[in-house]
Amino acid sequence: MVELADDPPRASPGARGEAPRQARAVATRGTILGAAAEEFAAASYHEASLSRILERSGVTKGALYFHFVSKESIALAVVDEMEGICRAMVERCGALGLDPLRTAAQVARAVQDELDGPVLRAGQRLCSEGFSGPHRPGWPYRFWQDVFEDLFARAAADGLLVPTVDPASLARTFTDVSGGAFVASLAITGLDDLARRVCENWELVLGCVADPAWLDGWRREGGMTAVLGPHVGRASDGSRGWVPEP
Amino acid sequence: MVELADDPPRASPGARGEAPRQARAVATRGTILGAAAEEFAAASYHEASLSRILERSGVTKGALYFHFVSKESIALAVVDEMEGICRAMVERCGALGLDPLRTAAQVARAVQDELDGPVLRAGQRLCSEGFSGPHRPGWPYRFWQDVFEDLFARAAADGLLVPTVDPASLARTFTDVSGGAFVASLAITGLDDLARRVCENWELVLGCVADPAWLDGWRREGGMTAVLGPHVGRASDGSRGWVPEP
């Protein structure tokens, strides 16, 4: 597919000049998506406005409508971006060489890192609002369930979980508590207390499903508070985060 | 405020005939709200259509627009109804005379009962989509957080919780896991596995925060599976619910 940037679409563009035109088109599309992510992160799908996305992006109306036919198509493209970020995140965390439970905790940390930017914030908000797109049924909940189930099954095989714990059930609980922390924190504090909620939830649930020996070691490292690092230690300067009480 | 049913609004209606007219108006409004709840339970706010609400309700367009100025105002009225149901539910559960932890579990059961109807299903879906209304900040998450915090503080005072558990933190975790079970189950299974998720989540979390003696007694009664009753025992006939594995 040939895409043009700020020009109206043409039926059969010549081969000469394709490369820079395509590069420009990709750049323009990225500019629009960045602006859309900021808009959808700040407002619900219903409240979000195409004209504010236009304003934020600085591109022409023609360019926007060349790349996207509707607010819905922009929203779905933001969720596409989110999907790429999530898959890369899981791969990166898997490559750290940690045990499966520590890998799961690192995934939670990586999600907090990415939520500092607008794409994951907008994507997760759109998904909470049911905007994951028909080509991605159950996204991102089914995805996280699969990721966690894989990690917890390996943790069980390695003896890192209490033997009565079912990895699939635990994966559902972590998916629920994570998805719920987002919607509840968004509704109550505009995501200000999200890292605190995540920290508490992981401490509580890991505290009752992890093997006591693993837990001892993990707690000596500082537990979830240490994993979440700056996210739970930034409340004193007014930014997002949480300083645990002494 | 004077409301009329199927007639166009009149500036100054006479006193005669007010009572039946008002009764009719209340009935018409209820019919519209019932139809709207069915529509918003089946579709996202974005997908829901006023013309399908009209069709479902069987009232005239004029009657609908007399009572509600927009899709948004109908959605907010459905959340009003949900709020009333939730508050009544908490009162009813509190009046059962159970200890605070059993009361909390009964609240979870009552929510499942009400989710069999369209109002709570629609209301919770609308809230997940950010449609709680500006006059209800944080609804329903802040509400449930307060309800659970009150119950867990009393449970702690009665020695029903492990001493290291903070009631406010535990209330946030239950709010997160409950709100998340709804959005994840809606996205993955259209709410088919919601009762199962709730059952697993409560068994897991109560299993690690409740006092061992309380837990022994509760488990002898059948635990969360018994509390949720028909909701977790209906999957075999294809309806919503879950039969726990033997």
Side-chain angles (χ1 to χ4, degrees):
Chain A
M1 189 184 146
V2 176
E3 287 188 327
L4 303 170
D6 287 312
D7 307 311
R10 288 186 302 182
S12 118
R16 280 168 60 94
E18 268 319 297
R21 231 188 342 259
Q22 287 186 1
R24 227 166 38 235
V26 168
T28 303
R29 191 174 183 277
T31 303
I32 298 168
L33 278 183
E38 283 174 7
E39 176 70 7
F40 288 121
S44 70
Y45 177 82
H46 177 66
E47 298 157 344
S49 105
L50 267 183
S51 55
R52 267 200 306 273
I53 293 174
L54 255 185
E55 225 173 88
R56 283 180 192 272
S57 68
V59 308
T60 65
K61 208 169 188 169
L64 189 140
Y65 279 107
F66 175 74
H67 286 282
F68 301 102
V69 298
S70 63
K71 186 163 93 169
E72 185 168 354
S73 72
I74 303 183
L76 292 179
V78 169
V79 182
D80 285 343
E81 297 293 317
M82 174 213 196
E83 184 175 349
I85 288 175
C86 290
R87 294 190 185 278
M89 202 178 353
V90 170
E91 245 183 76
R92 265 200 323 274
C93 292
L96 292 174
L98 300 168
D99 70 51
L101 286 189
R102 283 181 172 84
T103 303
Q106 281 300 325
V107 168
R109 162 63 193 264
V111 168
Q112 292 302 310
D113 289 346
E114 293 291 347
L115 282 172
D116 277 345
V119 176
L120 205 66
R121 207 174 263 235
Q124 183 61 34
R125 185 164 185 172
L126 287 164
C127 291
S128 305
E129 296 173 26
F131 261 92
S132 56
H135 55 301
R136 245 183 318 244
W139 177 267
Y141 307 103
R142 192 190 295 268
F143 170 78
W144 288 120
Q145 219 166 268
D146 291 345
V147 167
F148 285 134
E149 185 172 344
D150 173 58
L151 289 168
F152 295 150
R154 290 198 280 129
D158 293 352
L160 305 185
L161 291 178
V162 172
T164 51
V165 170
D166 171 45
S169 169
L170 185 60
R172 284 190 286 272
T173 296
F174 268 101
T175 302
D176 290 354
V177 85
S178 306
F182 185 90
V183 287
S185 175
L186 180 64
I188 300 175
T189 68
L191 295 182
D192 273 354
D193 76 345
L194 179 59
R196 171 191 184 173
R197 300 180 89 100
V198 169
C199 191
E200 290 176 329
N201 292 337
W202 280 69
E203 289 278 3
L204 177 70
V205 181
L206 275 186
C208 60
V209 298
D211 175 72
W214 182 90
L215 212 53
D216 274 355
W218 194 59
R219 283 188 170 147
R220 273 196 304 273
E221 294 164 20
M224 202 60 193
T225 306
V227 171
L228 290 172
H231 299 289
V232 292
R234 260 191 286 153
S236 53
D237 59 6
S239 61
R240 188 161 71 83
W242 173 56
V243 182
E245 307 198 2
Chain B
M1 190 185 145
V2 176
E3 287 188 329
L4 304 169
D6 288 314
D7 306 310
R10 290 187 302 182
S12 120
R16 281 166 58 95
E18 266 319 297
R21 233 192 335 263
Q22 287 187 0
R24 232 172 29 241
V26 168
T28 303
R29 192 175 183 276
T31 303
I32 298 167
L33 278 184
E38 284 174 7
E39 176 70 6
F40 288 122
S44 71
Y45 176 82
H46 176 66
E47 299 157 344
S49 104
L50 266 183
S51 55
R52 268 200 306 273
I53 293 175
L54 255 185
E55 226 173 85
R56 283 179 193 272
S57 68
V59 307
T60 65
K61 208 169 187 171
L64 189 140
Y65 279 107
F66 175 73
H67 285 282
F68 301 101
V69 298
S70 63
K71 185 162 95 168
E72 184 169 355
S73 73
I74 303 183
L76 292 179
V78 169
V79 182
D80 285 343
E81 297 294 316
M82 173 210 195
E83 183 175 350
I85 287 174
C86 291
R87 293 189 186 278
M89 201 177 353
V90 170
E91 247 184 74
R92 266 200 322 274
C93 292
L96 292 174
L98 299 168
D99 70 51
L101 286 190
R102 283 181 172 84
T103 303
Q106 281 300 324
V107 168
R109 162 64 192 261
V111 169
Q112 292 303 311
D113 289 346
E114 293 291 346
L115 281 173
D116 277 345
V119 176
L120 205 65
R121 207 174 263 236
Q124 183 62 35
R125 184 163 185 172
L126 287 164
C127 291
S128 305
E129 296 172 27
F131 260 93
S132 57
H135 54 302
R136 247 183 316 246
W139 177 267
Y141 308 102
R142 192 191 295 267
F143 171 77
W144 290 121
Q145 219 166 270
D146 290 346
V147 166
F148 285 133
E149 185 172 344
D150 173 59
L151 288 168
F152 295 149
R154 290 198 279 129
D158 294 352
L160 307 184
L161 291 178
V162 172
T164 49
V165 170
D166 172 46
S169 170
L170 185 60
R172 283 190 287 272
T173 295
F174 268 102
T175 301
D176 290 354
V177 86
S178 307
F182 186 89
V183 288
S185 175
L186 180 65
I188 300 175
T189 69
L191 295 182
D192 273 354
D193 75 345
L194 179 59
R196 170 190 183 174
R197 300 180 89 99
V198 169
C199 192
E200 290 176 328
N201 292 337
W202 280 69
E203 289 280 3
L204 176 71
V205 181
L206 274 186
C208 61
V209 299
D211 175 71
W214 181 91
L215 211 53
D216 274 354
W218 194 60
R219 284 186 170 150
R220 273 196 304 273
E221 294 164 19
M224 202 61 193
T225 306
V227 171
L228 290 173
H231 299 290
V232 291
R234 258 192 288 154
S236 53
D237 59 8
S239 61
R240 189 161 71 83
W242 173 56
V243 182
E245 308 198 3

